[in-house]
Amino acid sequence: MTEKILQHKHCSICGKAVPAEETFCSDECKEKWDAMVKKRKMMMYIMYGMIVVFIVLILFSGRL
Ligand SMILES: [Zn+2]
């Protein structure tokens, strides 16, 4: 029955304990997170692009 541990989360970047309404401990970690999300998004676009190219190649090779 100890309520020592208040509701809290951990910073998604460095793992520091932060209040429940916060996701990051500092602006620096938020920037790092944003950069990571951006990178991941770009990788996804590149993957989709490659899939599209692959499909187009298959369609064209089937016509030959
Ligand atoms: Zn942090």
Side-chain angles (χ1 to χ4, degrees):
M1 291 231 183
T2 45
E3 281 192 78
K4 239 187 191 172
I5 301 160
L6 285 162
Q7 249 205 328
H8 73 282
K9 288 201 288 195
H10 290 275
C11 174
S12 297
I13 296 292
C14 67
K16 258 192 212 169
V18 292
E21 66 269 17
E22 303 276 345
T23 310
F24 308 103
C25 67
S26 64
D27 284 344
E28 204 190 319
C29 281
K30 196 191 176 321
E31 269 166 37
K32 270 187 200 167
W33 179 263
D34 283 344
M36 214 168 77
V37 168
K38 229 185 234 176
K39 222 185 217 173
R40 212 182 282 173
K41 242 185 211 170
M42 200 135 98
M43 284 290 285
M44 235 159 65
Y45 285 136
I46 290 167
M47 243 168 66
Y48 280 136
M50 270 162 72
I51 287 165
V52 169
V53 168
F54 194 66
I55 288 166
V56 167
L57 276 174
I58 285 169
L59 286 176
F60 270 96
S61 64
R63 263 185 217 174
L64 290 170

Coordinates of all heavy atoms in Angstrom, one line a residue:
M1 N 0.8 -1.2 0.0 CA 0.0 0.0 0.0 C 0.9 1.3 0.0 O 0.5 2.3 0.6 CB -0.9 0.0 1.2 CG -2.0 -1.1 1.2 SD -3.6 -0.4 1.5 CE -4.6 -1.8 1.4
T2 N 2.0 1.1 -0.6 CA 2.8 2.3 -0.7 C 2.6 3.1 -2.0 O 2.5 2.5 -3.0 CB 4.3 1.9 -0.6 OG1 4.5 0.8 -1.5 CG2 4.8 1.6 0.8
E3 N 2.4 4.4 -1.8 CA 2.2 5.2 -3.0 C 3.4 6.0 -3.3 O 3.3 7.2 -3.6 CB 0.9 6.0 -2.8 CG -0.3 5.2 -3.1 CD -1.5 6.1 -3.2 OE1 -1.7 6.7 -4.3 OE2 -2.3 6.2 -2.2
K4 N 4.5 5.4 -3.1 CA 5.8 6.0 -3.3 C 6.0 6.4 -4.8 O 6.3 7.5 -5.1 CB 6.9 5.0 -3.0 CG 7.8 5.6 -1.9 CD 9.0 4.6 -1.8 CE 9.9 4.8 -0.6 NZ 10.8 3.6 -0.5
I5 N 5.6 5.4 -5.6 CA 5.8 5.7 -7.1 C 4.6 6.4 -7.6 O 3.5 5.9 -7.8 CB 6.0 4.4 -7.8 CG1 7.2 3.6 -7.3 CG2 6.1 4.6 -9.3 CD1 7.2 2.2 -7.6
L6 N 4.8 7.7 -7.9 CA 3.7 8.5 -8.6 C 3.7 8.1 -10.0 O 4.6 7.6 -10.6 CB 4.1 10.0 -8.4 CG 3.9 10.5 -7.0 CD1 4.6 11.9 -6.9 CD2 2.4 10.8 -6.7
Q7 N 2.6 8.5 -10.6 CA 2.4 8.2 -12.1 C 3.5 8.9 -12.8 O 3.6 10.2 -12.7 CB 1.0 8.7 -12.5 CG 0.2 7.5 -12.9 CD -0.9 7.9 -13.9 OE1 -1.3 9.0 -13.9 NE2 -1.3 7.0 -14.7
H8 N 4.3 8.2 -13.5 CA 5.3 8.8 -14.3 C 5.7 7.9 -15.5 O 5.3 6.7 -15.5 CB 6.6 9.1 -13.5 CG 7.3 7.8 -13.1 ND1 6.9 6.9 -12.2 CD2 8.4 7.3 -13.7 CE1 7.8 5.9 -12.1 NE2 8.7 6.1 -13.1
K9 N 6.3 8.5 -16.5 CA 6.8 7.8 -17.6 C 8.3 7.9 -17.7 O 8.9 8.6 -16.9 CB 6.2 8.4 -18.9 CG 4.7 8.1 -19.0 CD 4.2 8.2 -20.4 CE 4.1 9.7 -20.9 NZ 3.4 9.9 -22.1
H10 N 8.8 7.3 -18.7 CA 10.3 7.5 -18.9 C 10.5 8.1 -20.2 O 9.8 7.8 -21.2 CB 11.0 6.1 -18.8 CG 10.9 5.5 -17.5 ND1 11.9 5.8 -16.5 CD2 10.1 4.7 -16.8 CE1 11.6 5.2 -15.4 NE2 10.5 4.5 -15.6
C11 N 11.5 9.0 -20.3 CA 11.8 9.7 -21.5 C 12.1 8.6 -22.6 O 12.8 7.7 -22.4 CB 13.1 10.5 -21.2 SG 13.7 11.3 -22.7
S12 N 11.5 8.9 -23.7 CA 11.6 7.9 -24.8 C 13.0 7.8 -25.4 O 13.3 6.9 -26.2 CB 10.6 8.2 -25.9 OG 9.3 8.2 -25.4
I13 N 13.8 8.8 -25.1 CA 15.2 8.8 -25.7 C 16.2 8.3 -24.6 O 16.9 7.3 -24.9 CB 15.5 10.2 -26.2 CG1 14.6 10.6 -27.3 CG2 17.0 10.3 -26.5 CD1 14.8 9.8 -28.6
C14 N 16.2 8.9 -23.5 CA 17.3 8.6 -22.5 C 16.8 7.7 -21.4 O 17.6 7.2 -20.6 CB 18.0 9.8 -22.1 SG 17.0 10.9 -21.1
G15 N 15.5 7.6 -21.2 CA 15.0 6.7 -20.2 C 14.8 7.3 -18.8 O 14.5 6.7 -17.8
K16 N 15.1 8.6 -18.7 CA 14.9 9.4 -17.4 C 13.4 9.4 -17.1 O 12.6 9.5 -17.9 CB 15.4 10.8 -17.6 CG 16.8 11.0 -17.0 CD 17.0 12.5 -17.0 CE 18.5 12.9 -17.2 NZ 18.7 14.3 -17.4
A17 N 13.2 9.4 -15.8 CA 11.8 9.5 -15.3 C 11.3 10.9 -15.6 O 11.9 11.9 -15.3 CB 11.7 9.1 -13.9
V18 N 10.1 11.0 -16.2 CA 9.5 12.3 -16.4 C 8.0 12.2 -16.0 O 7.4 11.1 -15.9 CB 9.5 12.6 -17.9 CG1 11.0 12.9 -18.4 CG2 8.9 11.6 -18.8
P19 N 7.4 13.3 -15.7 CA 5.9 13.3 -15.3 C 5.1 12.7 -16.4 O 5.5 12.7 -17.6 CB 5.6 14.8 -15.2 CG 6.9 15.5 -15.0 CD 7.9 14.7 -15.7
A20 N 4.0 12.1 -16.0 CA 3.1 11.3 -16.9 C 2.7 12.1 -18.1 O 2.4 11.6 -19.2 CB 1.9 10.8 -16.1
E21 N 2.5 13.5 -17.9 CA 2.0 14.3 -19.1 C 3.2 14.7 -20.0 O 2.9 15.2 -21.1 CB 1.3 15.5 -18.6 CG 2.1 16.5 -17.8 CD 2.2 16.3 -16.3 OE1 1.8 15.1 -15.9 OE2 2.5 17.2 -15.6
E22 N 4.4 14.3 -19.6 CA 5.5 14.6 -20.5 C 6.0 13.3 -21.2 O 5.8 12.3 -20.7 CB 6.7 15.2 -19.7 CG 6.3 16.5 -19.0 CD 6.4 17.7 -19.8 OE1 7.0 17.7 -20.9 OE2 5.9 18.7 -19.4
T23 N 6.6 13.5 -22.4 CA 7.1 12.3 -23.1 C 8.6 12.3 -23.1 O 9.3 11.3 -23.1 CB 6.6 12.3 -24.5 OG1 5.2 12.5 -24.5 CG2 6.9 11.0 -25.2
F24 N 9.2 13.6 -23.0 CA 10.6 13.7 -23.0 C 11.1 14.5 -21.9 O 10.4 15.3 -21.3 CB 11.1 14.3 -24.3 CG 10.5 13.6 -25.6 CD1 9.5 14.2 -26.2 CD2 11.0 12.4 -26.0 CE1 8.9 13.5 -27.3 CE2 10.5 11.8 -27.1 CZ 9.4 12.3 -27.7
C25 N 12.4 14.3 -21.5 CA 12.9 15.0 -20.3 C 13.4 16.4 -20.7 O 13.4 17.3 -19.8 CB 14.0 14.2 -19.7 SG 15.5 14.1 -20.7
S26 N 13.7 16.6 -22.0 CA 14.2 17.9 -22.4 C 13.9 18.2 -23.8 O 13.6 17.2 -24.6 CB 15.7 18.0 -22.1 OG 16.4 17.0 -22.9
D27 N 14.1 19.4 -24.3 CA 14.0 19.7 -25.7 C 15.0 19.0 -26.5 O 14.7 18.6 -27.7 CB 14.2 21.3 -25.9 CG 12.9 22.0 -25.4 OD1 11.9 21.4 -25.2 OD2 13.0 23.2 -25.2
E28 N 16.1 18.7 -26.0 CA 17.2 18.0 -26.7 C 16.7 16.6 -27.1 O 16.8 16.1 -28.2 CB 18.4 17.9 -25.8 CG 19.7 17.7 -26.7 CD 20.9 17.4 -25.8 OE1 21.0 18.0 -24.7 OE2 21.7 16.5 -26.2
C29 N 16.0 15.9 -26.1 CA 15.5 14.6 -26.4 C 14.4 14.6 -27.4 O 14.2 13.8 -28.2 CB 15.1 13.9 -25.1 SG 16.5 13.3 -24.1
K30 N 13.6 15.7 -27.3 CA 12.5 15.8 -28.2 C 13.0 16.0 -29.6 O 12.5 15.4 -30.6 CB 11.6 17.0 -27.8 CG 10.2 17.0 -28.5 CD 9.5 18.3 -28.3 CE 8.2 18.3 -29.1 NZ 8.2 17.7 -30.4
E31 N 14.0 16.8 -29.8 CA 14.6 17.0 -31.1 C 15.2 15.7 -31.6 O 15.1 15.4 -32.8 CB 15.7 18.1 -31.0 CG 15.2 19.5 -31.2 CD 16.2 20.6 -30.8 OE1 17.4 20.4 -31.0 OE2 15.7 21.6 -30.2
K32 N 15.9 15.0 -30.7 CA 16.4 13.7 -31.2 C 15.3 12.8 -31.7 O 15.5 12.1 -32.6 CB 17.1 13.0 -30.0 CG 18.6 13.4 -29.9 CD 19.3 12.6 -28.8 CE 20.5 13.3 -28.3 NZ 21.0 12.7 -27.1
W33 N 14.2 12.8 -30.9 CA 13.1 11.9 -31.3 C 12.5 12.3 -32.7 O 12.2 11.5 -33.5 CB 12.0 12.0 -30.2 CG 10.8 11.2 -30.5 CD1 9.6 11.6 -31.1 CD2 10.6 9.8 -30.3 NE1 8.8 10.6 -31.2 CE2 9.3 9.4 -30.7 CE3 11.4 8.8 -29.7 CZ2 8.9 8.1 -30.6 CZ3 10.9 7.5 -29.6 CH2 9.7 7.2 -30.1
D34 N 12.3 13.6 -32.8 CA 11.8 14.2 -34.1 C 12.7 13.7 -35.3 O 12.2 13.3 -36.3 CB 11.7 15.7 -34.0 CG 10.5 16.1 -33.2 OD1 9.6 15.3 -33.0 OD2 10.4 17.3 -32.8
A35 N 14.0 13.8 -35.0 CA 15.0 13.5 -36.1 C 14.8 12.0 -36.4 O 14.9 11.6 -37.6 CB 16.4 13.8 -35.6
M36 N 14.6 11.2 -35.4 CA 14.5 9.7 -35.6 C 13.2 9.4 -36.4 O 13.3 8.6 -37.3 CB 14.5 9.1 -34.2 CG 15.1 7.7 -34.2 SD 15.3 7.1 -32.5 CE 13.7 6.6 -32.1
V37 N 12.1 10.1 -36.0 CA 10.9 9.8 -36.7 C 11.0 10.2 -38.1 O 10.5 9.5 -39.0 CB 9.7 10.6 -35.9 CG1 8.5 10.6 -36.8 CG2 9.4 10.0 -34.6
K38 N 11.6 11.4 -38.4 CA 11.8 11.9 -39.7 C 12.6 10.8 -40.6 O 12.2 10.5 -41.7 CB 12.6 13.2 -39.7 CG 11.9 14.3 -40.5 CD 12.8 15.5 -40.5 CE 12.0 16.7 -40.1 NZ 12.8 17.9 -40.0
K39 N 13.7 10.3 -40.0 CA 14.5 9.4 -40.6 C 13.7 8.1 -41.0 O 13.8 7.6 -42.1 CB 15.7 9.0 -39.7 CG 17.0 8.9 -40.4 CD 18.0 8.4 -39.5 CE 19.4 9.0 -39.7 NZ 20.3 8.7 -38.6
R40 N 12.9 7.7 -40.0 CA 12.1 6.4 -40.2 C 11.1 6.6 -41.3 O 10.8 5.8 -42.1 CB 11.4 6.1 -38.8 CG 11.2 4.6 -38.7 CD 10.5 4.3 -37.4 NE 11.3 4.4 -36.2 CZ 10.9 4.3 -35.0 NH1 9.6 4.1 -34.8 NH2 11.7 4.4 -34.0
K41 N 10.5 7.8 -41.3 CA 9.5 8.1 -42.3 C 10.1 8.1 -43.7 O 9.6 7.6 -44.7 CB 8.9 9.6 -42.1 CG 7.4 9.5 -41.8 CD 7.0 10.9 -41.7 CE 5.8 11.0 -40.7 NZ 5.4 12.4 -40.4
M42 N 11.3 8.7 -43.8 CA 12.0 8.7 -45.1 C 12.3 7.3 -45.5 O 12.2 7.0 -46.7 CB 13.3 9.5 -44.9 CG 13.8 10.0 -46.3 SD 14.3 11.7 -46.2 CE 16.0 11.4 -46.1
M43 N 12.8 6.4 -44.6 CA 13.1 5.1 -44.9 C 11.9 4.4 -45.5 O 11.9 3.6 -46.4 CB 13.6 4.3 -43.7 CG 15.0 4.6 -43.3 SD 16.2 4.0 -44.5 CE 16.2 2.3 -44.0
M44 N 10.7 4.7 -44.9 CA 9.5 4.1 -45.3 C 9.1 4.5 -46.7 O 8.7 3.7 -47.6 CB 8.3 4.5 -44.4 CG 7.7 3.2 -43.9 SD 6.8 3.2 -42.4 CE 5.4 4.2 -42.8
Y45 N 9.3 5.8 -47.0 CA 9.0 6.3 -48.4 C 10.0 5.6 -49.4 O 9.5 5.2 -50.5 CB 9.2 7.8 -48.4 CG 8.1 8.6 -47.8 CD1 8.4 9.7 -47.0 CD2 6.8 8.3 -48.1 CE1 7.4 10.4 -46.4 CE2 5.8 9.0 -47.5 CZ 6.1 10.1 -46.6 OH 5.1 10.8 -46.0
I46 N 11.2 5.5 -49.0 CA 12.2 4.8 -49.9 C 11.8 3.4 -50.2 O 11.8 2.9 -51.3 CB 13.6 4.9 -49.3 CG1 14.1 6.3 -49.3 CG2 14.6 3.9 -50.0 CD1 15.4 6.6 -48.5
M47 N 11.3 2.7 -49.1 CA 10.8 1.3 -49.2 C 9.6 1.2 -50.2 O 9.6 0.3 -51.0 CB 10.5 0.7 -47.9 CG 11.5 -0.4 -47.6 SD 11.4 -0.9 -45.9 CE 9.7 -1.6 -45.7
Y48 N 8.7 2.1 -49.9 CA 7.5 2.1 -50.8 C 7.9 2.4 -52.3 O 7.4 1.7 -53.2 CB 6.5 3.2 -50.4 CG 5.7 2.8 -49.2 CD1 5.5 3.7 -48.1 CD2 5.1 1.6 -49.1 CE1 4.7 3.3 -47.0 CE2 4.3 1.2 -48.1 CZ 4.1 2.1 -47.0 OH 3.4 1.7 -45.9
G49 N 8.8 3.3 -52.4 CA 9.3 3.6 -53.8 C 9.9 2.4 -54.4 O 9.7 2.2 -55.6
M50 N 10.7 1.7 -53.7 CA 11.4 0.5 -54.2 C 10.3 -0.6 -54.6 O 10.5 -1.3 -55.6 CB 12.4 -0.1 -53.2 CG 13.7 0.6 -53.4 SD 14.8 0.3 -51.9 CE 15.1 -1.4 -52.0
I51 N 9.3 -0.7 -53.8 CA 8.2 -1.7 -54.1 C 7.5 -1.3 -55.4 O 7.3 -2.2 -56.2 CB 7.3 -1.8 -52.9 CG1 7.9 -2.5 -51.7 CG2 6.0 -2.5 -53.3 CD1 7.2 -2.3 -50.4
V52 N 7.2 0.0 -55.5 CA 6.6 0.5 -56.7 C 7.4 0.2 -57.9 O 7.0 -0.3 -59.0 CB 6.2 2.0 -56.6 CG1 5.8 2.5 -57.9 CG2 5.1 2.2 -55.6
V53 N 8.7 0.5 -57.8 CA 9.7 0.3 -58.9 C 9.7 -1.2 -59.3 O 9.7 -1.6 -60.4 CB 11.1 0.8 -58.6 CG1 12.1 0.3 -59.6 CG2 11.1 2.3 -58.5
F54 N 9.7 -2.1 -58.2 CA 9.7 -3.5 -58.4 C 8.5 -4.0 -59.2 O 8.6 -4.8 -60.1 CB 9.8 -4.1 -57.0 CG 10.2 -5.6 -57.1 CD1 11.5 -6.0 -57.5 CD2 9.3 -6.6 -56.6 CE1 11.8 -7.3 -57.5 CE2 9.7 -7.9 -56.7 CZ 10.9 -8.3 -57.1
I55 N 7.3 -3.5 -58.8 CA 6.1 -3.9 -59.4 C 6.1 -3.4 -60.9 O 5.7 -4.2 -61.7 CB 4.9 -3.3 -58.6 CG1 4.7 -4.0 -57.3 CG2 3.6 -3.4 -59.4 CD1 3.8 -3.3 -56.3
V56 N 6.5 -2.2 -61.1 CA 6.5 -1.7 -62.5 C 7.5 -2.6 -63.3 O 7.2 -2.9 -64.5 CB 7.0 -0.2 -62.5 CG1 7.4 0.2 -63.9 CG2 5.9 0.7 -61.9
L57 N 8.6 -2.9 -62.8 CA 9.6 -3.8 -63.5 C 8.9 -5.1 -63.8 O 9.1 -5.6 -64.9 CB 10.8 -4.0 -62.6 CG 11.9 -2.9 -62.7 CD1 13.0 -3.1 -61.7 CD2 12.4 -2.7 -64.1
I58 N 8.2 -5.7 -62.9 CA 7.6 -7.0 -63.1 C 6.5 -6.8 -64.2 O 6.5 -7.7 -65.1 CB 7.0 -7.5 -61.8 CG1 8.1 -8.0 -60.9 CG2 5.9 -8.6 -62.1 CD1 7.6 -8.3 -59.5
L59 N 5.8 -5.8 -64.2 CA 4.7 -5.6 -65.2 C 5.3 -5.4 -66.6 O 4.8 -6.0 -67.5 CB 3.9 -4.3 -64.8 CG 2.9 -4.5 -63.7 CD1 2.3 -3.1 -63.3 CD2 1.9 -5.5 -64.0
F60 N 6.4 -4.7 -66.6 CA 7.0 -4.4 -67.9 C 7.7 -5.7 -68.5 O 7.6 -6.0 -69.6 CB 8.1 -3.3 -67.8 CG 7.4 -1.9 -68.1 CD1 7.0 -1.1 -67.0 CD2 7.3 -1.5 -69.4 CE1 6.4 0.1 -67.3 CE2 6.7 -0.3 -69.6 CZ 6.2 0.5 -68.6
S61 N 8.3 -6.4 -67.6 CA 9.0 -7.6 -68.0 C 8.0 -8.7 -68.5 O 8.3 -9.5 -69.3 CB 9.9 -8.2 -66.9 OG 9.1 -8.6 -65.8
G62 N 6.8 -8.7 -67.9 CA 5.8 -9.6 -68.3 C 5.3 -9.3 -69.7 O 4.7 -10.2 -70.4
R63 N 5.4 -8.1 -70.1 CA 4.9 -7.7 -71.5 C 5.9 -8.0 -72.6 O 5.5 -8.1 -73.7 CB 4.7 -6.2 -71.5 CG 3.2 -5.9 -71.2 CD 3.0 -4.4 -71.3 NE 2.0 -4.0 -70.3 CZ 1.7 -2.7 -70.1 NH1 2.3 -1.8 -70.8 NH2 0.8 -2.4 -69.2
L64 N 7.1 -8.2 -72.2 CA 8.1 -8.5 -73.2 C 8.0 -9.9 -73.8 O 7.7 -10.9 -73.0 CB 9.5 -8.3 -72.6 CG 9.9 -6.8 -72.4 CD1 11.2 -6.7 -71.6 CD2 10.0 -6.0 -73.6
Ligands
ZN1 ZN 15.7 12.4 -22.2

